[in-house]
Amino acid sequence: MDTKEILKKVRKIEIKTRRLSNHIFSGEYHTSFKGRGMTFSEVRQYQYGDDVRAIDWNVTARYNEPYVKVFEEERELTMMLMVDCSGSESFGTTNQFKSEIVTEIAATLAFSSTQNNDKVGLILFSDSIELYIPPKKGKSHVLRIIRELIEFKPKSKKTDLAQALKFLSSIMKKKAIVFLISDFMVKDYENTLKIASKKHDLTGIRVFDKREESIPNLGMVNMLDAETGSSFLVDTNSKSVRMNYEKYYKENVKYFTETFSKCGSGTVSSRVDENYVKKLLGYFKARN
């Protein structure tokens, strides 16, 4: 894509996802992810229904009528978007690729964070760290993140979630809200997830295509592994081939849900042709 096309696509995603974050997600996001604590704001006259424990006795004695201390939530947080940009994300059998839905979800979350005046950063990863954008505030920063999600070309097509989580732990010294967005078609990331989730509020968002769940019976089919580049003939007529693939797929999904649950982290699973808005809203509400 040339610059004009990229800007057009960025604008299209901005219009759609910003509307979602403004009208739907910002409130849910605000209540789902808490700030660092409460900070003193002001003193005002006591009103019926106020908590008597909040009375400021010094001010009350001075003015001879009750005054209460008002506290506000210290809201500023940091959101880190960890996005899988490996070869398997460039797959889709409906109207969109997985990578396009991933971009929309990431953009919606990014705009939700800016609505709450939080910082947002990006880690694009394959089997190595492809791109790191440090957390910052502001609309122009979010637009830069969206642009990178659309046009960035990774050097590798493989996936290593453990490596990405190690990098997160090394750069983020303070607690952050972390969304790890991938198809999670790999294993062996439990130990690094355990370490990262002790420090951060971590959520795994699994984006998948319905054709990844099972192989239809289509006879001999030439298949390409998007991550290794290898192609091979597969006899989809064979019941054992179809069953083994389905078993492999289910094992990966089970590993994803059980590992995140063991580490005390949340999960969201959204199929490419499903409404990811409902899935995210349901998750935020459940957290509340």
Side-chain angles (χ1 to χ4, degrees), residues 43-59:
V43 174
R44 63 161 170 78
Q45 281 185 298
Y46 178 88
Q47 294 172 2
Y48 177 76
D50 283 341
D51 189 342
V52 292
R53 290 172 297 179
I55 292 175
D56 187 321
W57 294 107
N58 290 330
V59 179

Side-chain angles (χ1 to χ4, degrees), residues 17-30 33 75 79 105-120 142 179 280 284:
T17 59
R18 201 170 186 197
R19 189 174 67 245
L20 287 173
S21 63
N22 286 354
H23 300 297
I24 302 172
F25 288 112
S26 59
E28 296 295 342
Y29 167 85
H30 181 94
F33 302 100
R75 258 307 306 177
M79 178 193 285
I105 291 172
T108 303
L109 292 169
F111 278 121
S112 295
S113 76
T114 56
Q115 279 289 104
N116 285 281
N117 202 33
D118 295 339
K119 294 177 184 175
V120 59
V142 172
F179 290 99
L280 288 174
F284 288 161

Side-chain angles (χ1 to χ4, degrees), residues 84 86-89 156-159 183 186 225-230:
D84 181 353
S86 62
S88 63
E89 299 304 317
S156 174
K157 292 188 174 182
K158 296 178 182 178
T159 313
D183 53 16
V186 289
D225 186 322
E227 298 208 352
T228 64
S230 307

Side-chain angles (χ1 to χ4, degrees), residues 168-169 172 174-176 178 196-202:
L168 172 76
S169 296
M172 298 300 292
K174 292 181 180 177
K175 183 180 178 179
V178 180
S197 57
K198 276 179 184 173
K199 188 192 289 185
H200 305 296
D201 188 335
L202 211 150

Side-chain angles (χ1 to χ4, degrees), residues 9-20 111:
K9 201 160 187 182
V10 169
R11 181 67 181 146
K12 189 178 175 184
I13 289 171
E14 182 199 356
I15 290 166
K16 180 178 180 179
T17 59
R18 201 170 186 197
R19 189 174 67 245
L20 287 173
F111 278 121

Side-chain angles (χ1 to χ4, degrees), residues 160-163 165 180 184 186-198 202 254-256 258-265:
D160 189 339
L161 283 168
Q163 198 66 29
L165 287 163
L180 177 51
F184 292 93
V186 289
K187 294 179 183 176
D188 303 323
Y189 52 84
E190 184 175 346
N191 291 337
T192 46
L193 182 68
K194 200 179 289 179
I195 294 164
S197 57
K198 276 179 184 173
L202 211 150
K254 188 181 178 186
Y255 182 85
F256 162 69
E258 288 185 354
T259 301
F260 271 77
S261 178
K262 262 191 248 175
C263 296
S265 298

